[in-house]
Amino acid sequence: MEGQTPEELVGGLSCLYAIPGEVDTGINIILGTALVDDAIRPTVIDDLLAQQLNVGQTADGALTYWKWGDEVIVPAIHNSLYADSWYSALIQPGGRESYDLGVALVQEMRTTTTQ
């Protein structure tokens, strides 16, 4: 991973993972999180919209910015933006299965950090 992730650029952190036992398959996961306040929230939203991601909302009120990607080039991306925080998962290669994994990882990060 070269340079800072969008989460790191706003003071958050990101971690790069490979799936255990599958290091040679080229499956990579980047998880990120950052605190969000009223001053930075519009910039985060603008940056996510500039990526031409799909927009949605979770049952607990988070705005979501996402795409499934594909199994060859385009990664699966899922972002959940709450009033106070931003969580993201990028999984390469993408596709529906990778996207669903990203959603589950983001939900687990949110649950773990808000208990």
Side-chain angles (χ1 to χ4, degrees), residues 52-92:
Q52 299 181 342
L53 300 173
N54 299 302
V55 179
Q57 188 169 6
T58 63
D60 64 353
L63 296 175
T64 59
Y65 301 87
W66 59 276
K67 68 178 165 185
W68 285 352
D70 61 45
E71 290 84 8
V72 181
I73 297 172
V74 181
I77 300 172
H78 181 77
N79 294 274
S80 288
L81 184 61
Y82 292 86
D84 62 350
S85 55
W86 171 23
Y87 300 88
S88 69
L90 182 147
I91 302 176
Q92 179 68 37

Side-chain angles (χ1 to χ4, degrees), residues 23-69:
V23 174
D24 295 333
T25 64
I27 297 173
N28 293 301
I29 301 170
I30 300 173
L31 300 177
T33 187
L35 294 176
V36 174
D37 61 23
D38 291 340
I40 197 147
R41 188 179 173 85
T43 302
V44 171
I45 291 172
D46 288 346
D47 289 346
L48 293 169
L49 290 173
Q51 296 176 47
Q52 299 181 342
L53 300 173
N54 299 302
V55 179
Q57 188 169 6
T58 63
D60 64 353
L63 296 175
T64 59
Y65 301 87
W66 59 276
K67 68 178 165 185
W68 285 352

